[in-house]
Amino acid sequence: MDNRPIGVFDSGLGGLTCIPNLFRQLPEERVIYFGDTARTPYGSKAVSTVKAYTNQIADFLAAQNVKMMVIACNTISSTCLPDLRKRFPDIPILGIIEPAACRVAESCNMESRIGIIATKVTIASGVYTASIEAMHPGLSVFCKATPAFVPLIEEGIIDNEIMDLTIRYYMDDFVKENRLDTLVLGCTHYPLIRKNILKIYPQLKIVNPSYEIVEKVKQVLQDERMLAERNDRENIFYASDLSENFVNMIQNILDTEKSDLILKFKNLDL
Ligand code: DGL
């Protein structure tokens, strides 16, 4: 048994899309979340910058004595996972791409037409394609960087025409030309536009890595005998910029009132 919190982090609010399912699957666990809202998006930045920011977040979470780190960000998972594991050899660190690739490998076959949408950094890393190919060689995988989604989502521009037009701009040709039947939401912000995507392309079967990673967290905690016993201490949500927008979005995503949340400002540059 281990009652210490799980550290979950992202460049911004996207990683929050993992949290409701994590609370459902593992109600005894406590979470310390960090969203680098002051410096998001990471997905179009140089990999060296993503690595430097990520080390600051991971150092902060390690100082909070987390028992596990969950990288609820594809961009960071695709670029920083091996370095982070070297930096913290005693803390289990889970990336989000491997569980998603595993789901694709298990659920798709040689007839499947699989699309991956993600940030520029994630797509350029080639990690999704390589992981799927390693687990199920020969599957048809097509990738597309969709960099404007994250800034729009961070701004709360979701249920409207601007988002729908942006989806069509990136995806109409991508879906049609590759005859896609499956779509991996390769960025943890994208589950927030899942409904918009399905409204436009109802034929797509969606793989949501924000969901898949929670299964992996559960499995590792069980295997390592690190599950928590019921504890009543609260979850803490840190952000490097506590904007009004972030506060609104976190309430929506977690379906809770601000008064029920412990929100804290933490600027890693200070
Ligand atoms: N939510 C992130 C991801 O999964 C990062 C988005 C960004 O900062 O560009 O890739």
Side-chain angles (χ1 to χ4, degrees), residues 1-5 28-29 67 221-231:
M1 290 294 169
D2 190 334
N3 283 333
R4 290 177 300 156
E28 276 78 27
E29 299 298 331
K67 63 179 172 185
L221 289 178
Q222 275 167 352
D223 291 352
E224 302 294 321
R225 299 182 183 281
M226 289 174 77
L227 286 164
E229 285 172 309
R230 177 126 210 110
N231 70 62

Side-chain angles (χ1 to χ4, degrees), residues 44 145-153 163 166 169-170 190:
S44 301
T146 49
F149 288 159
V150 169
L152 290 176
I153 293 167
M163 179 53 84
T166 312
Y169 167 74
Y170 282 128
Y190 299 174

Side-chain angles (χ1 to χ4, degrees), residues 10-11 14-15 40-44 72-75 119 122 150 186-189:
D10 179 45
S11 62
T40 197
Y42 282 13
S44 301
C73 175
N74 294 263
T75 305
T119 66
T122 302
V150 169
C187 169
T188 50
H189 284 69

